[in-house]
Amino acid sequence: MQSHQQASVRTGYVAADFMTATYRVSGEVALRGVPLLDQLNDHQALFLTLERVFVSPLLDPAVLTGNYKYAELRKNSIGIVVLTMERDGLPHREGRYKGRDHRDHEVMFVTTGFEIVGSLRLHPSVNIPNFVRTTPEHFIPLFNARATLTGRRDVVFEGGAILLNRNGIEVFALADR
């Protein structure tokens, strides 16, 4: 089973699939001029407000547990966020992850429940292992990424970007090393 989140048609919102240890929470986030990655990395807010919310068990994401107009999702319980469009995974200061000198580094991450393969896009001068270990950001973007549920290998989430919670990283490796 593969999942592709539908792009939101509402201006000023981004649609995403938020994976916790046990649930898939699909919904939309109001941007209000602040990209989703920046909202996730805001150290002042513990929760993220979602609209048009659908909740499913992670081991059976096609089964609907419930749908709600609004929900509050605790940010530190989010393992990964799957976004359809690559640009939706960029912060306000895009230069950190986007530039003519930047290159894609193929990476593999193992987190609680997922194997994630994608590209970490950084300037060639950045030491990737050091960056992953020491960046003050809670979430980092992987582009053209794929997350496979380790408990059910037939459940795969793909997107133009996956935002990865660094607190859940168990193992990571660079393909080009």
Side-chain angles (χ1 to χ4, degrees), residues 6 27 70 72 94 98 104 121 125 128:
Q6 291 295 327
Y70 297 100
E72 298 292 326
E94 291 181 2
K98 185 177 178 182
D104 286 350
R121 185 170 300 142
S125 66
I128 304 295

Side-chain angles (χ1 to χ4, degrees), residues 23-166:
Y23 284 90
R24 169 189 184 184
V25 181
S26 301
E28 296 178 347
V29 177
L31 298 176
R32 295 183 189 93
V34 180
L36 178 58
L37 183 59
D38 293 335
Q39 290 185 44
L40 288 168
N41 284 324
D42 178 358
H43 300 280
Q44 304 296 321
L46 293 176
F47 288 85
L48 187 66
T49 302
L50 305 180
E51 298 181 25
R52 297 183 182 185
V53 181
F54 297 89
V55 179
S56 304
L58 193 54
L59 289 173
D60 199 357
V63 172
L64 183 63
T65 299
N67 66 311
Y68 308 93
K69 189 172 180 177
Y70 297 100
E72 298 292 326
L73 183 58
R74 189 167 177 105
K75 294 190 303 188
N76 66 358
S77 71
I78 300 168
I80 61 172
V81 180
V82 181
L83 299 161
T84 302
M85 305 297 295
E86 178 179 300
R87 71 174 181 269
D88 291 334
L90 291 169
H92 179 70
R93 294 182 56 183
E94 291 181 2
R96 185 168 194 181
Y97 300 107
K98 185 177 178 182
R100 69 171 189 258
D101 295 340
H102 287 51
R103 78 178 259 254
D104 286 350
H105 303 272
E106 296 304 313
V107 291
M108 184 277 302
F109 287 90
V110 174
T111 65
T112 308
F114 285 99
E115 291 175 12
I116 303 144
V117 177
S119 297
L120 187 53
R121 185 170 300 142
L122 294 168
H123 191 272
S125 66
V126 175
N127 178 306
I128 304 295
N130 191 50
F131 170 80
V132 172
R133 288 190 305 262
T134 64
T135 183
E137 306 298 337
H138 292 296
F139 288 83
I140 56 174
L142 301 174
F143 300 102
N144 300 313
R146 173 186 191 102
T148 303
L149 188 62
T150 56
R152 279 201 49 201
R153 306 224 27 104
D154 61 318
V155 177
V156 177
F157 299 94
E158 295 180 303
I162 289 181
L163 308 179
L164 171 64
N165 186 337
R166 288 180 45 247

